[in-house]
Amino acid sequence: WPLPETGLRLETKHGRRNFPDYGILLRIAIHEKDVPETARLFAAASSEGQKSRWGVGLDAGLLNDIAKTVAADHPDTSVGIWKRHAEACIAETKPASYPPAVEYLRKSRDLLKSKGRLLEWNEYFAHLLEKEKRKRRFMELVSYLKEEE
């Protein structure tokens, strides 16, 4: 027999519900400071194939929280998130998007430096500078990252 209506509206995307809702589960894991669960859920969400401009079907703020939460135990995950953030901001080709991109790059550099992987950062950074050399404003802002090394 059918159950009675609950009176609650179900959030749907394109007319269908998506389960599990990784956004909610990740927020819970972050709130509980459960690093292994946060990393596991992020990996599962990434493999689902839900893509957005940030690379996963999750919002930018949540991805940044995930990166901060798992940075100590899963630096590659954090650096990957921050690099995707930076590259997405740079791709907008709006000067207002460049300061957040530089901040994400700084976070990536600092984490890799703390893990003794500065050579990896230098290679990535040199490639990024070569690729984005036509974006004058970005090059001005990002120059301080080069000087701080």
Side-chain angles (χ1 to χ4, degrees), residues 97-114:
S97 299
Y98 296 154
V102 172
E103 182 61 23
Y104 293 129
L105 291 171
R106 184 194 59 76
K107 289 178 181 183
S108 297
R109 184 207 55 200
D110 292 349
L111 181 57
L112 288 172
K113 190 175 182 180
S114 73

Side-chain angles (χ1 to χ4, degrees), residues 17-136:
R17 298 186 317 215
N18 293 325
F19 292 105
D21 187 337
Y22 288 111
I24 291 172
L25 294 174
L26 280 160
R27 283 181 178 86
I28 292 168
I30 290 167
H31 178 74
E32 294 177 346
K33 297 174 178 39
D34 188 346
V35 175
E37 184 66 2
T38 302
R40 186 190 71 74
L41 287 169
F42 177 71
S46 299
S47 69
E48 288 276 319
Q50 302 171 351
K51 299 295 179 192
S52 73
R53 83 182 254 230
W54 307 111
V56 183
L58 303 170
D59 65 80
L62 177 58
L63 285 169
N64 194 39
D65 291 343
I66 293 166
K68 286 190 283 188
T69 301
V70 303
D73 296 336
H74 303 276
D76 290 332
T77 300
S78 297
V79 168
I81 290 170
W82 287 326
K83 283 180 180 178
R84 279 193 301 274
H85 270 292
E87 290 165 5
C89 290
I90 295 165
E92 289 180 11
T93 63
K94 293 188 293 187
S97 299
Y98 296 154
V102 172
E103 182 61 23
Y104 293 129
L105 291 171
R106 184 194 59 76
K107 289 178 181 183
S108 297
R109 184 207 55 200
D110 292 349
L111 181 57
L112 288 172
K113 190 175 182 180
S114 73
K115 298 294 181 184
R117 296 166 53 186
L118 199 54
L119 180 62
E120 181 182 334
W121 162 256
N122 289 334
E123 289 172 3
Y124 170 76
F125 192 61
H127 174 72
L128 182 69
L129 292 179
E130 180 62 30
K131 180 178 151 192
E132 305 298 347
K133 65 184 172 188
R134 292 184 180 183
K135 297 176 180 166
R136 235 177 337 128

Side-chain angles (χ1 to χ4, degrees), residues 5-19 21:
E5 289 294 320
T6 63
L8 299 174
R9 273 191 4 205
L10 292 175
E11 300 267 338
T12 62
K13 231 180 211 180
H14 306 294
R16 60 173 208 198
R17 298 186 317 215
N18 293 325
F19 292 105
D21 187 337

